[in-house]
Amino acid sequence: MRAAILPFLLLGTAASAQTSSTPAPAISVETLKTVTQVLSSDAYEGRAPTTPAEAKTVGYIVERMKAAGLKPGNKGAWTQDVPMVEITATAVQPYVFTGGKTPVSLAYRTEMVAGTYRVVPKVSVANSDVVFVGYGITAPEKGWDDYAGVDVNGKTVVILINDADWQTMSREGPFEGRAMTWYGRWPYKFENAAKHGAAAAIIVHDTEPAAYPWAVVQSSWTGPQLELDEKGDHLDQSQIVGWMQRASAERVFASAGKDYATLAAAAKVKGFKAVPLGLKLSGGFTNTIKRQASKNVIGVLPGTAKPDDYVMYSAHWDHLGRCDPVDGDDICNGAADNATGVAGLIALAEAQAKAGPAKRSIAFLAVTAEESGLLGSRYYAEHPIYPLAHTVGGVNMDVLNTDGRAKDFVLVGAGKSEIEDLVKPFVAAEGRVIGVEANPERGGYYRSDHFSFAKLGVPMLDGGSGEDMVVGGTAAGHAAREDYVAHRYHKPADEYDAKWDWSGVVDDLTIYYGLGRKLADDTSLWPNWYKTAEFRGIRDRDRAGAK
Ligand SMILES: [Zn+2]
């Protein structure tokens, strides 16, 4: 799901390369091109989980893993079943806000979207009191609670996206300044609203702090929605979760006699008190419910000395499937996102297999339903095939750089784990430098599958080409990334392009190869999170329990 990473500042590193003396087998550009082209062709219909395209996609990945020389990764099987439930909202009513100067009715898709985690046939919220809860954050360790002193049980909460200090240019502030924390992410906001008993939770979309335009919200929140199929049918969640456009929120606030900009500014200040708007919300829809399994695909290169320790490479195979048509094209092919990542996974499997088994096992995991909220990786991490305490760490790939060679290599969410120190010599070996994440406010680290592992303690690298291109420098790199975000990201135009330059992909994959090989051959390595990282405690407990 996540958009490309954009660095703005370079930090040189003089670290000498401690790369292995055995030369790495070449990364096959032929493999990268073929796998990307096949998986993003119209025949694969945009690879939506649980559709007929899934069997085709899974079949192709298994075939390529087999040909690469991997063994089935799940006790003799190539796949892991992921129980899912598909909920499709129909007859979605507009959000109607009454009780103000004039009623405000927001149109589905263009002004608002609505969904639910609840596995129920019908959702309805009527005349529910509306409360503006600022950023919707409860962070006791920071002494910050947007819900303090207000009862929102059965009510509707309106929430701002990102966290309170996102406009700070530095990394200083209650929520790491410009960097987005977990508190800034929409899944957190809905989780916290449900904990406070809200009947409906509506996030105000704003392009800059959200890091993507309304079109992305519209395409990902309409049509069939997937969730993990779990006991309890998610009845502990709010009835309605959704979004509205910022301009719509301004109209809603105005009808309540309030100024949106003034209240949004007040929400940035510690001690902000939630504001009842004196409005009532009505909304609802009916659900079509389908329970079915999707699949993660897993292959392994068994280790020689410590086969029960695993190094993990991952990439999501799914994309959005059929989507809103643009110029008559309704297939979101997901070529960059993330056929390139799966192609990288296969190319790495080929290279690692060609180099022969390492001391530890190396696993290659293609997960489902990333675009539906990291579901396949979350399921794997909660039901691991290989115990997480024996999973050393690894690399996740989501959208590889097909714009050509980059001088920099950016660590997303830097400052979290020792994996970052281990990767630096491989970056330096290519004569590249570590770049700093330009848009930490986009919360990139929380937006792809490595986060599912991180949340449960396994340190995973999220890093790759920055935007300082060998040809054209940062101007070229910046223009290329912004063009992707504006015109192709999550749109039918994310298609395979024969003109793509694969040299930057090969550079990045060579680094991932070296890092994976190092983790797999040096059995003394157990990279941990830094002491300040939110996932350190869980890793320490997990490792202490491992034999
Ligand atoms: Zn993706």
Side-chain angles (χ1 to χ4, degrees), residues 1-2 316 337-338 370-371 398-399:
M1 165 122 182
R2 99 156 192 258
H316 72 87
D337 186 7
N338 188 29
E370 188 271 355
E371 304 288 6
D398 193 353
V399 185

